[in-house]
């Protein structure tokens, strides 16, 4: 469990440093590490949750365990989504503050994009360039948002790792099992 959680945490930390230019190959290794870590963590968690129960209680406990796992996943996804929405607003606000008429870089980019789009859109080149700059800000904002989410997930795993030392190995219960 500890090794699996460490692998997942490291993969999340790795994913938290990607850019909008990251390629498939840059995503492959951290995703493979996360997948391997998930597989290593799942079996011990199942054993801890169900391994101490007598066979007669296993069927009902398994159903309850799956229900709680799904409920926890739904709550986790909702929390991550709420955090991502809030962080996207923050990043968009900060990036919008940087892309203004007062910034020479923003003016140069807009001028260059307008000239580039002039060939294809004629008189509509300027609004198209403005839209493209807006999409660039949105893209960068989303990239920074997902980096934040991955870093929070990495920290969550690293904080939880010491808790694994408090777990005890389950001792299987002996007792009559249900007939099939």
């Amino acid at each position: 469990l500890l090794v699996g959680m460490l692998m997942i945490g490291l993969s999340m930390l790795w994913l938290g440093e990607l850019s909008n230019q990251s390629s498939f190959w840059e995503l492959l290794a951290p995703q493979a590490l996360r997948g391997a870590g998930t597989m290593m963590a799942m079996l011990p968690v199942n054993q801890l949750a169900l391994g101490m129960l007598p066979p007669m209680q296993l069927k009902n406990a398994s159903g309850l365990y799956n229900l709680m796992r799904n409920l926890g996943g739904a709550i986790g996804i909702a929390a991550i989504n709420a955090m991502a929405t809030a962080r996207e607003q923050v990043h968009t606000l900060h990036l919008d503050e940087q892309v203004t008429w007062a910034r020479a870089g923003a003016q140069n980019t807009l001028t260059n994009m307008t000239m580039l789009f002039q060939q294809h859109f004629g008189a509509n080149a300027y609004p198209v360039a403005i839209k493209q700059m807006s999409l660039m800000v949105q893209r960068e904002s989303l990239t920074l948002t997902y980096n934040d989410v991955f870093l929070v997930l990495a920290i969550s795993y690293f904080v939880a790792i010491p808790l694994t030392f408090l777990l005890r190995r389950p001792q299987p219960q002996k007792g009559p099992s249900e007939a099939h």
Side-chain angles (χ1 to χ4, degrees), residues 94-157:
H94 289 304
L95 291 172
D96 281 344
E97 290 172 352
Q98 301 302 315
V99 182
T100 66
W101 301 112
R103 297 271 180 178
Q107 287 180 0
N108 291 340
T109 301
L110 184 60
T111 300
N112 292 338
M113 290 174 81
T114 301
M115 289 175 18
L116 178 68
F117 293 143
Q118 195 86 38
Q119 300 165 6
H120 300 293
F121 299 104
N124 293 328
Y126 183 75
V128 170
I130 292 280
K131 178 66 176 173
Q132 282 302 109
M133 284 190 71
S134 173
L135 290 173
M136 287 170 60
V137 167
Q138 182 182 11
R139 179 190 67 205
E140 295 304 319
S141 174
L142 282 172
T143 300
L144 293 170
T145 297
Y146 286 113
N147 283 348
D148 290 350
V149 168
F150 286 128
L151 291 174
V152 167
L153 288 171
I155 290 167
S156 299
Y157 274 94

Side-chain angles (χ1 to χ4, degrees), residues 3-138:
V3 171
M5 290 177 66
L6 182 63
M7 289 170 71
I8 295 169
L10 288 172
S11 75
M12 294 296 164
L13 190 62
W14 195 349
L15 286 168
E17 296 180 1
L18 296 176
S19 73
N20 67 357
Q21 301 297 314
S22 297
S23 69
F24 170 81
W25 299 109
E26 291 173 285
L27 292 168
L28 181 65
Q31 291 291 71
L33 183 63
R34 183 181 59 86
T38 300
M39 290 294 102
M40 290 184 73
M42 283 180 69
L43 184 59
V45 168
N46 289 339
Q47 281 296 105
L48 286 167
L50 303 172
M52 292 191 233
L53 298 174
M56 293 290 289
Q57 295 177 345
L58 199 54
K59 182 170 47 170
N60 290 334
S62 177
L64 183 60
Y65 172 72
N66 285 325
L67 171 71
M68 296 310 291
R69 189 184 64 199
N70 289 338
L71 181 61
I75 292 170
I77 289 171
I80 288 171
N81 191 33
M83 183 182 72
T85 300
R87 294 303 300 164
E88 182 183 6
Q89 291 171 353
V90 169
H91 288 302
T92 300
L93 177 66
H94 289 304
L95 291 172
D96 281 344
E97 290 172 352
Q98 301 302 315
V99 182
T100 66
W101 301 112
R103 297 271 180 178
Q107 287 180 0
N108 291 340
T109 301
L110 184 60
T111 300
N112 292 338
M113 290 174 81
T114 301
M115 289 175 18
L116 178 68
F117 293 143
Q118 195 86 38
Q119 300 165 6
H120 300 293
F121 299 104
N124 293 328
Y126 183 75
V128 170
I130 292 280
K131 178 66 176 173
Q132 282 302 109
M133 284 190 71
S134 173
L135 290 173
M136 287 170 60
V137 167
Q138 182 182 11

